[in-house]
Amino acid sequence: MDVVSCLLLLVLPFSCMGGGVTDNRFFKSGDEDVMYDDHLLSSLAVTSKLGCSRQCSNTEDCVSFTFTEGSPSGTCRLHSQVMTSRCPNRSEAPGSTTYTMGQEAGPPLISACDTDSDCATCIGFECFFGQCLCTPGYYFSEGSQICVKTCEESDLQQNVMVYANSGIDGNDIIQYTSKTLVECVMLCVSTPACRTIDYGRQHGTCNLQSVTALDVAWNRGTDLDWDFFQRACA
């Protein structure tokens, strides 16, 4: 397998959160804005998708759930089978997303959270817009599986942690345009001193940087067309 196809956006390993299928381990499996009627176990009011996942985890035979955004509470529908786009009994439900409990074979696992306390079992993590991530500026150590403040250049890895809608102004080593995300990350990996990336989704802008959010001011969750990536450490 070539190195590009192996590239992953870094997510929390099972050992960090205690192992097995826990109440905040799930991945998207159905269509957006759709509600499913097949194999329905129950429907109840909850305030978040994390709360819905906990209801599923604590309900016998529940393997998937649909959370519909609402105010002050959303709707949580629990299912005894995996709900996917192939399920026929469905209806439009704006604000709905369907998830399956456990770990998906392909795309990354979601480590969801509502508050920092949901990430407390992982050293150095915080709740960043609904996901447990390293405190911005810290490196995820693949060896110790904690977040660390410093990383030698020789220990930088090709995996990255993503901070959506965020970025650093200026401080670029070099800028590329019209690059895919994978191309951009691999350019960083092959560029000496590159530790972080600002990636503009609209035009494929790839800004390689040698600084982190601990070194300079950064835009946290306010750059709607940009994502920020920090390389992992050994």
PDB file of all heavy atoms in Angstrom, residues 80-97:
ATOM      1  N   SER A  80     -32.520  -1.296  16.257  1.00  0.00           N
ATOM      2  CA  SER A  80     -31.880  -2.580  16.559  1.00  0.00           C
ATOM      3  C   SER A  80     -31.057  -3.108  15.396  1.00  0.00           C
ATOM      4  O   SER A  80     -30.443  -4.170  15.503  1.00  0.00           O
ATOM      5  CB  SER A  80     -32.939  -3.621  16.947  1.00  0.00           C
ATOM      6  OG  SER A  80     -33.863  -3.806  15.886  1.00  0.00           O
ATOM      7  N   GLN A  81     -31.058  -2.402  14.276  1.00  0.00           N
ATOM      8  CA  GLN A  81     -30.207  -2.755  13.152  1.00  0.00           C
ATOM      9  C   GLN A  81     -29.569  -1.488  12.594  1.00  0.00           C
ATOM     10  O   GLN A  81     -30.038  -0.378  12.852  1.00  0.00           O
ATOM     11  CB  GLN A  81     -31.004  -3.477  12.053  1.00  0.00           C
ATOM     12  CG  GLN A  81     -31.461  -4.875  12.454  1.00  0.00           C
ATOM     13  CD  GLN A  81     -31.983  -5.682  11.279  1.00  0.00           C
ATOM     14  OE1 GLN A  81     -31.716  -5.373  10.121  1.00  0.00           O
ATOM     15  NE2 GLN A  81     -32.724  -6.737  11.579  1.00  0.00           N
ATOM     16  N   VAL A  82     -28.505  -1.667  11.819  1.00  0.00           N
ATOM     17  CA  VAL A  82     -27.819  -0.526  11.222  1.00  0.00           C
ATOM     18  C   VAL A  82     -28.708   0.110  10.163  1.00  0.00           C
ATOM     19  O   VAL A  82     -29.220  -0.575   9.272  1.00  0.00           O
ATOM     20  CB  VAL A  82     -26.481  -0.964  10.592  1.00  0.00           C
ATOM     21  CG1 VAL A  82     -25.834   0.205   9.856  1.00  0.00           C
ATOM     22  CG2 VAL A  82     -25.550  -1.508  11.664  1.00  0.00           C
ATOM     23  N   MET A  83     -28.900   1.416  10.268  1.00  0.00           N
ATOM     24  CA  MET A  83     -29.699   2.159   9.296  1.00  0.00           C
ATOM     25  C   MET A  83     -28.759   2.816   8.281  1.00  0.00           C
ATOM     26  O   MET A  83     -27.846   3.561   8.660  1.00  0.00           O
ATOM     27  CB  MET A  83     -30.527   3.234   9.992  1.00  0.00           C
ATOM     28  CG  MET A  83     -31.562   2.707  10.977  1.00  0.00           C
ATOM     29  SD  MET A  83     -32.928   1.809  10.189  1.00  0.00           S
ATOM     30  CE  MET A  83     -32.449   0.099  10.522  1.00  0.00           C
ATOM     31  N   THR A  84     -28.973   2.530   7.002  1.00  0.00           N
ATOM     32  CA  THR A  84     -28.145   3.100   5.945  1.00  0.00           C
ATOM     33  C   THR A  84     -29.036   3.682   4.857  1.00  0.00           C
ATOM     34  O   THR A  84     -30.266   3.615   4.927  1.00  0.00           O
ATOM     35  CB  THR A  84     -27.224   2.036   5.322  1.00  0.00           C
ATOM     36  OG1 THR A  84     -28.016   1.117   4.560  1.00  0.00           O
ATOM     37  CG2 THR A  84     -26.451   1.284   6.395  1.00  0.00           C
ATOM     38  N   SER A  85     -28.411   4.235   3.833  1.00  0.00           N
ATOM     39  CA  SER A  85     -29.152   4.842   2.727  1.00  0.00           C
ATOM     40  C   SER A  85     -29.975   3.818   1.952  1.00  0.00           C
ATOM     41  O   SER A  85     -30.846   4.178   1.162  1.00  0.00           O
ATOM     42  CB  SER A  85     -28.183   5.549   1.773  1.00  0.00           C
ATOM     43  OG  SER A  85     -27.207   4.646   1.290  1.00  0.00           O
ATOM     44  N   ARG A  86     -29.720   2.522   2.171  1.00  0.00           N
ATOM     45  CA  ARG A  86     -30.463   1.482   1.459  1.00  0.00           C
ATOM     46  C   ARG A  86     -31.782   1.127   2.135  1.00  0.00           C
ATOM     47  O   ARG A  86     -32.606   0.416   1.553  1.00  0.00           O
ATOM     48  CB  ARG A  86     -29.596   0.226   1.340  1.00  0.00           C
ATOM     49  CG  ARG A  86     -28.318   0.428   0.527  1.00  0.00           C
ATOM     50  CD  ARG A  86     -27.514  -0.853   0.452  1.00  0.00           C
ATOM     51  NE  ARG A  86     -26.288  -0.674  -0.320  1.00  0.00           N
ATOM     52  CZ  ARG A  86     -25.394  -1.631  -0.525  1.00  0.00           C
ATOM     53  NH1 ARG A  86     -25.596  -2.842  -0.009  1.00  0.00           N
ATOM     54  NH2 ARG A  86     -24.306  -1.390  -1.230  1.00  0.00           N
ATOM     55  N   CYS A  87     -31.993   1.584   3.358  1.00  0.00           N
ATOM     56  CA  CYS A  87     -33.223   1.244   4.078  1.00  0.00           C
ATOM     57  C   CYS A  87     -34.415   1.948   3.430  1.00  0.00           C
ATOM     58  O   CYS A  87     -34.392   3.174   3.250  1.00  0.00           O
ATOM     59  CB  CYS A  87     -33.107   1.644   5.540  1.00  0.00           C
ATOM     60  SG  CYS A  87     -31.833   0.720   6.438  1.00  0.00           S
ATOM     61  N   PRO A  88     -35.476   1.205   3.085  1.00  0.00           N
ATOM     62  CA  PRO A  88     -36.576   1.786   2.300  1.00  0.00           C
ATOM     63  C   PRO A  88     -37.549   2.649   3.096  1.00  0.00           C
ATOM     64  O   PRO A  88     -38.094   3.614   2.570  1.00  0.00           O
ATOM     65  CB  PRO A  88     -37.277   0.549   1.737  1.00  0.00           C
ATOM     66  CG  PRO A  88     -37.011  -0.521   2.752  1.00  0.00           C
ATOM     67  CD  PRO A  88     -35.639  -0.240   3.292  1.00  0.00           C
ATOM     68  N   ASN A  89     -37.810   2.297   4.356  1.00  0.00           N
ATOM     69  CA  ASN A  89     -38.825   3.000   5.138  1.00  0.00           C
ATOM     70  C   ASN A  89     -38.214   4.226   5.798  1.00  0.00           C
ATOM     71  O   ASN A  89     -37.676   4.165   6.902  1.00  0.00           O
ATOM     72  CB  ASN A  89     -39.430   2.070   6.187  1.00  0.00           C
ATOM     73  CG  ASN A  89     -40.156   0.901   5.552  1.00  0.00           C
ATOM     74  OD1 ASN A  89     -40.808   1.062   4.523  1.00  0.00           O
ATOM     75  ND2 ASN A  89     -40.025  -0.277   6.146  1.00  0.00           N
ATOM     76  N   ARG A  90     -38.324   5.341   5.108  1.00  0.00           N
ATOM     77  CA  ARG A  90     -37.657   6.556   5.542  1.00  0.00           C
ATOM     78  C   ARG A  90     -38.503   7.760   5.174  1.00  0.00           C
ATOM     79  O   ARG A  90     -39.359   7.700   4.307  1.00  0.00           O
ATOM     80  CB  ARG A  90     -36.285   6.667   4.879  1.00  0.00           C
ATOM     81  CG  ARG A  90     -36.349   6.414   3.387  1.00  0.00           C
ATOM     82  CD  ARG A  90     -35.009   6.166   2.768  1.00  0.00           C
ATOM     83  NE  ARG A  90     -34.288   7.403   2.538  1.00  0.00           N
ATOM     84  CZ  ARG A  90     -33.016   7.458   2.176  1.00  0.00           C
ATOM     85  NH1 ARG A  90     -32.328   6.347   2.051  1.00  0.00           N
ATOM     86  NH2 ARG A  90     -32.426   8.598   1.958  1.00  0.00           N
ATOM     87  N   SER A  91     -38.238   8.861   5.843  1.00  0.00           N
ATOM     88  CA  SER A  91     -38.962  10.095   5.556  1.00  0.00           C
ATOM     89  C   SER A  91     -38.035  11.279   5.784  1.00  0.00           C
ATOM     90  O   SER A  91     -37.029  11.174   6.492  1.00  0.00           O
ATOM     91  CB  SER A  91     -40.202  10.215   6.452  1.00  0.00           C
ATOM     92  OG  SER A  91     -39.833  10.164   7.823  1.00  0.00           O
ATOM     93  N   GLU A  92     -38.367  12.401   5.171  1.00  0.00           N
ATOM     94  CA  GLU A  92     -37.554  13.597   5.344  1.00  0.00           C
ATOM     95  C   GLU A  92     -37.663  14.106   6.776  1.00  0.00           C
ATOM     96  O   GLU A  92     -38.743  14.163   7.350  1.00  0.00           O
ATOM     97  CB  GLU A  92     -38.001  14.689   4.370  1.00  0.00           C
ATOM     98  CG  GLU A  92     -37.691  14.380   2.917  1.00  0.00           C
ATOM     99  CD  GLU A  92     -38.002  15.557   2.007  1.00  0.00           C
ATOM    100  OE1 GLU A  92     -38.307  16.651   2.540  1.00  0.00           O
ATOM    101  OE2 GLU A  92     -37.941  15.390   0.778  1.00  0.00           O
ATOM    102  N   ALA A  93     -36.511  14.484   7.340  1.00  0.00           N
ATOM    103  CA  ALA A  93     -36.471  15.001   8.708  1.00  0.00           C
ATOM    104  C   ALA A  93     -35.287  15.952   8.814  1.00  0.00           C
ATOM    105  O   ALA A  93     -34.177  15.543   9.180  1.00  0.00           O
ATOM    106  CB  ALA A  93     -36.348  13.864   9.720  1.00  0.00           C
ATOM    107  N   PRO A  94     -35.473  17.222   8.464  1.00  0.00           N
ATOM    108  CA  PRO A  94     -34.370  18.193   8.499  1.00  0.00           C
ATOM    109  C   PRO A  94     -33.670  18.219   9.856  1.00  0.00           C
ATOM    110  O   PRO A  94     -34.315  18.168  10.906  1.00  0.00           O
ATOM    111  CB  PRO A  94     -35.082  19.523   8.213  1.00  0.00           C
ATOM    112  CG  PRO A  94     -36.288  19.136   7.423  1.00  0.00           C
ATOM    113  CD  PRO A  94     -36.734  17.828   8.005  1.00  0.00           C
ATOM    114  N   GLY A  95     -32.349  18.278   9.808  1.00  0.00           N
ATOM    115  CA  GLY A  95     -31.566  18.313  11.039  1.00  0.00           C
ATOM    116  C   GLY A  95     -31.262  16.957  11.624  1.00  0.00           C
ATOM    117  O   GLY A  95     -30.720  16.857  12.729  1.00  0.00           O
ATOM    118  N   SER A  96     -31.579  15.886  10.879  1.00  0.00           N
ATOM    119  CA  SER A  96     -31.368  14.526  11.387  1.00  0.00           C
ATOM    120  C   SER A  96     -30.090  13.914  10.825  1.00  0.00           C
ATOM    121  O   SER A  96     -29.763  14.098   9.653  1.00  0.00           O
ATOM    122  CB  SER A  96     -32.554  13.623  11.010  1.00  0.00           C
ATOM    123  OG  SER A  96     -33.745  14.083  11.602  1.00  0.00           O
ATOM    124  N   THR A  97     -29.390  13.165  11.674  1.00  0.00           N
ATOM    125  CA  THR A  97     -28.208  12.410  11.261  1.00  0.00           C
ATOM    126  C   THR A  97     -28.256  11.049  11.937  1.00  0.00           C
ATOM    127  O   THR A  97     -28.596  10.947  13.117  1.00  0.00           O
ATOM    128  CB  THR A  97     -26.909  13.131  11.655  1.00  0.00           C
ATOM    129  OG1 THR A  97     -26.933  14.469  11.159  1.00  0.00           O
ATOM    130  CG2 THR A  97     -25.697  12.409  11.076  1.00  0.00           C
TER     131      THR A  97
END
